[in-house]
Each structure stands twice: as structure tokens, then as C-alpha cells.
Amino acid sequence: SVRLPRHQETALQVARWLAGRAEVTHVRHPAFGDCPGHAVWRRDFSGANGLVTIVLQPASKRALAAMLDGMKLFAMGYSWGGYESLIVPIDPAAARSATVWPYSGPCLRLHCGLEDPADLIDDLEQGFARLHAAS
């Protein structure tokens, strides 16, 4: 009863911060009004979880690797729903068949775990610094 509300609160704080970053062109979270399916989410759900998807401005694979390789709190992985924060690059365009993915920049899937949101934001901020340094 404590874990999922914390995931939601942390993810919302991180997502709002990411939405203000110049490196990020799009943030996808069901609580955001521009997220596809937002109306269904509002109708059918009482909350969210720790998942956030972001699309970055175009960046080289080298710069993206520099960002991700130095993460301290976000580990690489797909095990959504655990206590730890995770990050992984994804390619939604390759898996879509009903609609076209409208974004061209690198896409990252984040799971915000139980760490302090300020610490996760600091980890992402340092990652963006590495992304810029490698560009």
C-alpha cells in the first residue's frame, strides 16, 4: 500500500522536471493531458505507477551511450514495478503496427523507484551533462 503511491509521486515529479528540459521533446505519462489514452486513464484508474517515457532531441548513439553509461541510480533494465529505478533506450517505431510513432529522437523508458526524487533528478541532470559533453 505504500510502494505504488510512492512510485507515482516520484514519477510525476521526475516527469514534470523532464518536461522542462531542452533535451526532451516529449514526455509520456498517463497523468499528462497530452498523453494518448489520458481520458481512459482518468476514467478507469485512480493513479499511475513509476513508468515514464521520454523522447530526446536528436543525439548520436555515442552521446546517448555516454549519458546512460554513467547513471548512478538508474540501472539499465526492463523489470518494471520493482523498488529500483531503471532506464533503457527503446525504439517504439519498430514495435508499432496500428499507428506510426511520430518522433525521431532517441526514446528512453524510465521506471522511477523508491529513491528520493531529487536524487533521481540529479542523476538525470548529470546524464544530460554527459550527453552534451559527448555531442
Side-chain angles (χ1 to χ4, degrees), residues 42-64:
R42 283 188 61 117
R43 183 191 72 206
D44 294 347
F45 295 91
S46 61
N49 57 28
L51 295 177
V52 178
T53 299
I54 63 171
V55 180
L56 301 177
Q57 295 284 349
S60 69
K61 287 183 180 184
R62 183 175 150 265
L64 188 62

Side-chain angles (χ1 to χ4, degrees), residues 59-100:
S60 69
K61 287 183 180 184
R62 183 175 150 265
L64 188 62
M67 175 187 180
L68 297 175
D69 286 347
M71 301 305 285
K72 303 289 186 221
L73 297 177
F74 283 96
M76 295 284 284
Y78 281 103
S79 182
W80 314 124
Y83 64 88
E84 67 279 328
S85 293
L86 301 170
I87 191 168
V88 68
I90 61 169
D91 181 8
R96 296 176 73 91
S97 60
T99 60
V100 175

